[in-house]
Amino acid sequence: DTGVSQDPRHKITKRGQNVTFRCDPISEHNRLYWYRQTLGQGPEFLTYFQNEAQLEKSRLLSDRFSAERPKGSFSTLEIQRTEQGDSAMYLCASSPSSGLADEQYFGPGTRLTVT
Amino acid sequence: EDQVTQSPEALRLQEGESSSLNCSYTVSGLRGLFWYRQDPGKGPEFLFTLYSAGEEKEKERLKATLTKKESFLHITAPKPEDSATYLCAVHRGNNRKLIWGLGTSLAVNP
């Protein structure tokens, strides 16, 4: 299977701890996105990479959130000093550079629970 | 303000009972409209991209259509396995950030 993969699938952490999630996009896709989704809501945009460059970051993203894509392949999303409000599903998506519009293919997500 | 609104919020159908889901949008410079299916606890699964008014796309029991103001996802003779949340998103201009609706939760009873 050559779809988007995410690791871990579930993470339970205590408030104040740091967590890091990994995303492996579809291999030929050079665009990578991170989203956050809570129950009953659509995905909320966090950040976007084209190759290794982080081109856009949501204003809603606090300084506790950081993302990297060092070699233009996999990406990591780190949340420092987690808060209960960070509990959500964190989704990664990738898309090819060609095409009229940005068809994004999503991974299975990482479910974060902050206790 | 750019906005995507989906209706109804929830829909319950009997197996075989055809219906339509609506996605209305107000965005400038539409580049594409996307439909996704999402099962509980999983990431959205890509279904269709529509680029211009009048365009239609089909996949099994699903058919998506687009006008200048809205898109419809028609479900013909649904089966219980079609139960999911259906999300609509639009891509406008040169901004890579998609604008998402809240989704329609569909339940198909056997």
Side-chain angles (χ1 to χ4, degrees):
Chain A
D1 189 308
T2 57
V4 178
S5 62
Q6 292 186 245
D7 184 71
R9 295 292 308 277
H10 303 275
K11 178 71 176 179
I12 299 174
T13 191
K14 292 184 178 179
R15 188 179 58 181
Q17 298 294 306
N18 299 343
V19 294
T20 300
F21 308 141
R22 177 181 170 122
C23 171
D24 287 90
I26 294 171
S27 59
E28 60 268 26
H29 288 182
N30 65 352
R31 294 178 182 148
L32 187 147
Y33 305 79
W34 284 100
Y35 291 88
R36 178 172 62 189
Q37 188 178 28
T38 54
L39 196 63
Q41 302 293 315
E44 175 188 12
F45 173 81
L46 295 178
T47 191
Y48 151 63
F49 290 86
Q50 177 142 341
N51 298 313
E52 66 275 9
Q54 187 174 19
L55 298 185
E56 191 171 350
K57 187 175 177 180
S58 170
R59 289 173 291 173
L60 299 174
L61 214 59
S62 75
D63 291 342
R64 297 184 297 107
F65 288 72
S66 62
E68 294 183 340
R69 196 183 182 197
K71 296 182 180 179
S73 56
F74 73 92
S75 175
T76 58
L77 176 69
E78 181 183 17
I79 308 174
Q80 296 182 327
R81 305 180 304 281
T82 52
E83 302 172 356
Q84 287 188 324
D86 297 331
S87 295
M89 175 76 88
Y90 289 83
L91 296 165
C92 175
S94 68
S95 70
S97 58
S98 59
L100 296 173
D102 229 359
E103 294 180 1
Q104 297 181 18
Y105 296 85
F106 284 81
T110 295
R111 168 73 65 189
L112 173 66
T113 302
V114 182
T115 62
Chain B
E1 180 183 350
D2 295 331
Q3 196 167 4
V4 174
T5 303
Q6 291 189 246
S7 62
E9 291 183 11
L11 181 63
R12 186 175 295 274
L13 301 173
Q14 289 298 122
E15 184 172 2
E17 180 186 2
S18 301
S19 188
S20 296
L21 312 182
N22 177 265
C23 171
S24 63
Y25 61 92
T26 52
V27 298
S28 56
L30 179 74
R31 291 190 66 179
L33 182 143
F34 307 96
W35 282 99
Y36 287 84
R37 168 194 171 126
Q38 188 171 28
D39 292 297
K42 296 187 178 180
E45 173 191 350
F46 173 78
L47 294 174
F48 304 110
T49 305
L50 301 167
Y51 295 105
S52 57
E55 188 174 3
E56 298 182 352
K57 288 193 177 174
E58 287 188 68
K59 179 181 179 180
E60 297 180 352
R61 295 177 292 281
L62 301 177
K63 179 180 177 180
T65 62
L66 181 66
T67 72
K68 289 186 177 180
K69 295 183 178 181
E70 59 192 348
S71 176
F72 291 94
L73 184 66
H74 307 278
I75 303 177
T76 302
K79 298 181 177 181
E81 53 262 42
D82 294 323
S83 298
T85 295
Y86 291 85
L87 293 164
C88 170
V90 299
H91 178 200
R92 63 171 177 84
N94 292 319
N95 192 324
R96 293 294 166 190
K97 183 173 66 176
L98 298 183
I99 303 169
W100 292 84
L102 296 182
T104 293
S105 176
L106 174 66
V108 181
N109 297 325

